C-alpha cells in the first residue's frame, strides 16, 4: 500500500506555504493510490522549537482539507507520531549502526571542531569532520577498534558529552532514483560524517527521518528540492540497516517573482495568511497544484478530486515555479463567482461574522451583486460598508445630498430603476458623473452598482443618512 508523509518541524508560526504544497502532493499521491497520508512531527531541534506551532500546523492542514490518516493528534498503527516521543528507537538504531561500523561515537569538543573548521577554511578545503574519533593512534581506520570502543564506553559512563556520527565510506558512488529528476549519483567524498545522534539524546533530521520512514512503512518520500543533498546520506543509512529504499521525489522550490526562494520578506509565507485574507482553501490548493504541473487540457480551474485523478508525480517539472499572488487572486475571484448564492452567503458569514447583523433578506439580496465583484472574502466588508454605518463619509457635498434627499423623497416605488432615473436627471442637470454619487455614499469612486445597493438599503435608511449629512 502506498504510504506518504509530511514531517513538518514545529519551528515557525504555522505551516509554510511551500510545505503546504508538499503536503498537497503527498496527499494526492496517497489518495490516488488508495493509500495513506501521514503527518509526523519532527520536533527534534529543541533550540528552534516553538510552543503552539504543532497545533497551528495541524489545524492549517485540516483547514485546507488535506485530511491525514495518521498523525500526532489522531494516532494510528505506528504511534507515536511525534519524534520527541520516540527517542529510545533512535538510540537503539544509532547503536546498531555503531555495531555495524556505519557510525561511531565522537567526543570532540566544540573548541576542537571550531579549530578544525578554521584550519580547513584557511587551507581552502570544504569544512568537514576529520574522523578524529574513528582513527586509531597509529592512523589506521577501523570499524572494530576495541580500544576506542572501550574508551567510548568509559567516556559515556563518565558522563562525557558525545554525539554519534555517520561513518561515510571513502570514494563510493551513491545513487538513487528520483521520480521527478531521474537518477542522481554523488561521490561519498562530498559527504561529511554527519551527526546522527546529538549530545542531548535527540536524533538529527537524518537519523530520525530514515528510522521513522522505515518504521512507518513509508513507500514514497516526497519533499522539497532543498533536501536532495541529504538523500545520499539517507541512502547510506538505508544500506547500512539493510532496508529497502523508498521511492524519492524532490519537488521544485517555489520562488518569488524575482526568482529568489519564497521568503517572508517578499511574499506571505504562512498558509493561514491566505485564509485570513479571504482566499478559499480550494483556490489555494488549485493554485498550488498548478505549480510544476499542468492539466492535460491546460485547464486552470479544477477540483481536488480532478487533480488527484489526473496527477502523476513523474509529470512534475523540476524547475522552480513562481508564486504569483495576482494569479491566485484572479483564481479566487473565479471560485467565488462560481458559488451559488447560498454557498457564498455561508462563506461570507463564516469569514465576517458581522454579516449576521444584516437581515436575512438584505444578505440574500446582496449576493448576486457581490458575486462577480469579490476577489477575496475580505471584499465583503469593504463593499458593504454603507450597510454598517450610521453616517456618510466625511466631506459630504451638502448641496448634492440635499438635492438627492428631495428627489428620493419623491420616489413612491423604491427600486433601482427609479433610483437610477433620479440619479440620471441630476447627472444631466449638473453635468456630473456617477462617481460623485459613489463618492458621497461610500467615499470611493466606484463599488457595487449604487441604485441596486440603495434599493436594498431601503428608502428610510437612505433618506436618514442624507438628512444627517446635511445638518
Ligand atoms: N522537516 C523537514 C521539512 O519540514 C522534512 C523534510 C522531509 O520531508 O524529509 O521540510
Amino acid at each position: 500500500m502506498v504510504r506518504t508523509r509530511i514531517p513538518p518541524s514545529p519551528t515557525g508560526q504555522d505551516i509554510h506555504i511551500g510545505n503546504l504544497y508538499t503536503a498537497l502532493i503527498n496527499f494526492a499521491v496517497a489518495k490516488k493510490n488508495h493509500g495513506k497520508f501521514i503527518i509526523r512531527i519532527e520536533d527534534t531541534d529543541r533550540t528552534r522549537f516553538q510552543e503552539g506551532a504543532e497545533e497551528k500546523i495541524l489545524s492549517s492542514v485540516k483547514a485546507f482539507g488535506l485530511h491525514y490518516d495518521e498523525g500526532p493528534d489522531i494516532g494510528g498503527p505506528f504511534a507515536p507520531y511525534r519524534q520527541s516521543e520516540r527517542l529510545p528507537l533512535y538510540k537503539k538504531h544509532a547503536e546498531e549502526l555503531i555495531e555495524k561500523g556505519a557510525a561511531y561515537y565522537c567526543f570532540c569538543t566544540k573548541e576542537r571542531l571550531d579549530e578544525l573548521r578554521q584550519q580547513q577554511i584557511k587551507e581552502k578545503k570544504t569544512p568537514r569532520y576529520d574522523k578524529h574519533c574513528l582513527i586509531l593512534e597509529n592512523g589506521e581506520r577501523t570499524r572494530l577498534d576495541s580500544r576506542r570502543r572501550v574508551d567510548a564506553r568509559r567516556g559515556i559512563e563518565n558522563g562525557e558529552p558525545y554525539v554519534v556520527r555517520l561513518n561515510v565510506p571513502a570514494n563510493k558512488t551513491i545513487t538513487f532514483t528520483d521520480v521527478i529528476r531521474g537518477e542522481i549519483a554523488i561521490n561519498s567524498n562530498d559527504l561529511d560524517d554527519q551527526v546522527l545522534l546529538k549530545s542531548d539524546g535527540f536524533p538529527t533530521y537524518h537519523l530520525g527521518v530514515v528510522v521513522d520512514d522505515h518504521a512507518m512503512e513509508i513507500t514514497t518520500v516526497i519533499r522539497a528540492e532543498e533536501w536532495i543533498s541529504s538523500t545520499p546520506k539517507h541512502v547510506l543509512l538505508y544500506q547500512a540497516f539493510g532496508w529497502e529504499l523508498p521511492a524519492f521525489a524532490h519537488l521544485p522550490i517555489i520562488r518569488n517573482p524575482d526568482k529568489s526562494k519564497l521568503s517572508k520578506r517578499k511574499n506571505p509565507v504562512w498558509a493561514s495568511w491566505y485564509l485570513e485574507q479571504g482566499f478559499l482553501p480550494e483556490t489555494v490548493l488549485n493554485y498550488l497544484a498548478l505549480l510544476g504541473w499542468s492539466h492535460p487540457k491546460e485547464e486552470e480551474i479544477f477540483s481536488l478530486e480532478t487533480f488527484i485523478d489526473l496527477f502523476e508525480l513523474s509529470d512534475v517539472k523540476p524547475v522552480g515555479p513562481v508564486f504569483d499572488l495576482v494569479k491566485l487572486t484572479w483564481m479566487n475571484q473565479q471560485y467565488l463567482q462560481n458559488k451559488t448564492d447560498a454557498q457564498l452567503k455561508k462563506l461570507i458569514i463564516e469569514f465576517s461574522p458581522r454579516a449576521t447583523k444584516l437581515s436575512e433578506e438584505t444578505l440574500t439580496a446582496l449576493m448576486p451583486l457581490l458575486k462577480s465583484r469579490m476577489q477575496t472574502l475580505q471584499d465583503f466588508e469593504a463593499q458593504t460598508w454603507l450597510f454598517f454605518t450610521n453616517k456618510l463619509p466625511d466631506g459630504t457635498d451638502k448641496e448634492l445630498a440635499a438635492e438627492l434627499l428631495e428627489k428620493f423623497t419623491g420616489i413612491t416605488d423604491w427600486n433601482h430603476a427609479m433610483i437610477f432615473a433620479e440619479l440620471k436627471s441630476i447627472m444631466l442637470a449638473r453635468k456630473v458623473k456617477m462617481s460623485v454619487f459613489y463618492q458621497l455614499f461610500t467615499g470611493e469612486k466606484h463599488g457595487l452598482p449604487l441604485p441596486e445597493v440603495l434599493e436594498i438599503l431601503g428608502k428610510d435608511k437612505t433618506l436618514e443618512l442624507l438628512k444627517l449629512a446635511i445638518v
Side-chain angles (χ1 to χ4, degrees):
M1 191 212 296
V2 169
R3 291 173 56 83
T4 66
R5 90 299 187 264
I6 52 161
S9 302
T11 52
Q13 265 165 264
D14 183 9
I15 187 163
H16 188 284
I17 190 79
N19 284 346
L20 186 69
Y21 171 53
T22 307
L24 167 68
I25 303 299
N26 273 283
F27 177 84
V29 169
K31 297 298 138 188
K32 190 177 179 75
N33 295 288
H34 311 287
K36 301 271 186 235
F37 168 56
I38 292 124
I39 295 195
R40 179 177 72 228
I41 296 292
E42 231 171 57
D43 56 349
T44 52
D45 188 346
R46 305 315 283 178
T47 55
R48 294 177 61 221
F49 181 80
Q50 292 260 346
E51 203 57 60
E54 175 188 316
E55 290 73 13
K56 186 72 195 154
I57 291 169
L58 297 177
S59 75
S60 283
V61 172
K62 284 181 218 164
F64 280 94
L66 299 179
H67 298 291
Y68 42 95
D69 302 293
E70 297 164 29
D73 54 342
I74 55 170
F78 300 94
Y81 291 88
R82 215 173 268 119
Q83 289 193 321
S84 58
E85 293 166 15
R86 302 168 64 82
L87 299 186
L89 188 72
Y90 311 120
K91 187 159 190 292
K92 182 180 134 226
H93 283 89
E95 280 163 5
E96 185 184 330
L97 290 171
I98 291 168
E99 268 322 300
K100 291 179 160 160
Y104 57 96
Y105 293 110
C106 170
F107 293 86
C108 286
T109 58
K110 188 179 171 303
E111 289 68 33
R112 179 177 186 275
L113 295 175
D114 284 347
E115 217 171 276
L116 175 67
R117 199 183 145 79
Q118 290 313 322
Q119 187 61 30
Q120 287 170 333
I121 291 175
K122 217 194 270 164
E123 291 167 16
K124 303 218 178 324
K125 290 184 186 153
T126 314
R128 196 159 287 170
Y129 185 64
D130 60 355
K131 291 189 189 272
H132 175 78
C133 285
L134 185 74
I135 297 171
L136 271 171
E137 272 164 11
N138 66 11
E140 270 176 53
R141 281 162 202 238
T142 180
R143 44 171 285 200
L144 288 171
D145 172 11
S146 55
R147 234 200 69 201
R148 275 264 159 211
R149 288 257 192 97
V150 172
D151 281 355
R153 287 268 159 258
R154 201 174 297 139
I156 293 164
E157 275 156 26
N158 289 344
E160 273 180 50
Y162 69 92
V163 299
V164 173
R165 285 184 185 274
L166 174 64
N167 184 13
V168 176
N171 203 23
K172 212 181 131 191
T173 306
I174 305 163
T175 50
F176 64 93
T177 307
D178 184 296
V179 182
I180 299 170
R181 294 154 203 273
E183 191 171 284
I184 296 180
I186 132 150
N187 188 287
S188 63
N189 290 352
D190 292 330
L191 300 181
D192 198 3
D193 277 10
Q194 200 78 54
V195 173
L196 298 175
L197 200 67
K198 296 180 276 188
S199 54
D200 61 3
F202 279 77
T204 55
Y205 161 64
H206 307 290
L207 181 64
V209 81
V210 169
V211 167
D212 284 342
D213 284 345
H214 175 74
M216 296 182 178
E217 297 178 7
I218 301 302
T219 56
T220 320
V221 169
I222 306 165
R223 60 184 161 217
E225 187 181 341
E226 62 195 290
W227 302 102
I228 289 187
S229 61
S230 297
T231 307
K233 297 168 198 168
H234 303 174
V235 171
L236 284 179
L237 289 174
Y238 278 97
Q239 287 170 348
F241 285 122
W243 295 339
E244 199 186 317
L245 288 182
F248 290 107
H250 293 88
L251 299 171
I253 285 199
I254 308 172
R255 304 198 174 269
N256 289 306
D258 67 1
K259 301 274 160 102
S260 59
K261 189 176 151 187
L262 196 62
S263 74
K264 278 176 241 172
R265 271 171 290 122
K266 309 229 171 82
N267 247 324
V269 294
W270 304 119
S272 52
W273 181 89
Y274 294 87
L275 301 181
E276 284 152 19
Q277 297 302 306
F279 290 96
L280 300 178
E282 62 262 45
T283 311
V284 177
L285 293 187
N286 187 161
Y287 179 75
L288 292 176
L290 281 170
L291 295 173
W293 180 82
S294 26
H295 187 285
K297 291 196 185 130
E298 302 288 322
E299 278 170 30
E300 305 242 72
I301 309 283
F302 46 79
S303 67
L304 183 57
E305 290 68 36
T306 305
F307 176 59
I308 292 169
D309 203 31
L310 298 174
F311 178 71
E312 288 298 341
L313 193 51
S314 53
D315 290 343
V316 171
K317 290 182 272 309
V319 280
V322 168
F323 196 92
D324 180 1
L325 207 47
V326 175
K327 174 143 186 213
L328 177 69
T329 308
W330 168 83
M331 225 177 212
N332 205 51
Q333 184 171 17
Q334 307 300 306
Y335 267 90
L336 289 171
Q337 210 167 330
N338 290 336
K339 296 286 172 201
T340 64
D341 288 6
Q343 287 168 332
L344 185 62
K345 190 158 69 179
K346 187 164 172 276
L347 287 168
I348 286 175
I349 291 172
E350 275 163 16
F351 188 80
S352 294
R354 72 191 281 219
T356 53
K357 289 198 186 133
L358 303 182
S359 72
E360 190 61 30
E361 200 191 337
T362 301
L363 259 184
T364 306
L366 278 170
M367 290 308 127
L369 294 188
L370 283 165
K371 208 189 276 178
S372 57
R373 295 179 179 85
M374 286 173 79
Q375 295 190 316
T376 69
L377 290 170
Q378 240 184 14
D379 291 340
F380 170 76
E381 296 204 1
Q383 306 253 37
T384 58
W385 177 85
L386 199 51
F387 289 82
F388 296 94
T389 185
N390 292 319
K391 163 176 180 301
L392 292 181
D394 292 340
T396 321
D397 177 342
K398 292 195 178 182
E399 213 188 303
L400 181 64
E403 191 172 351
L404 281 168
L405 179 61
E406 191 204 318
K407 293 258 159 77
F408 284 172
T409 308
I411 299 180
T412 44
D413 188 6
W414 185 256
N415 64 50
H416 65 270
M418 301 303 282
I419 297 167
F420 181 70
E422 296 301 352
L423 295 179
K424 186 116 193 246
S425 76
I426 300 178
M427 277 171 11
L428 289 173
R430 290 183 166 237
K431 297 201 180 3
V432 291
K433 289 199 181 127
M434 194 68 173
S435 60
V436 300
F437 303 118
Y438 279 98
Q439 193 82 46
L440 184 125
F441 280 103
T442 66
E444 303 286 337
K445 289 214 167 54
H446 32 71
L448 300 184
L450 197 58
E452 280 82 350
V453 165
L454 295 181
E455 176 186 328
I456 299 169
L457 189 64
K459 185 173 175 181
D460 291 349
K461 179 80 194 271
T462 307
L463 297 186
E464 188 189 310
L465 288 171
L466 288 169
K467 268 182 216 154
L468 272 175
I470 55 180
V471 288

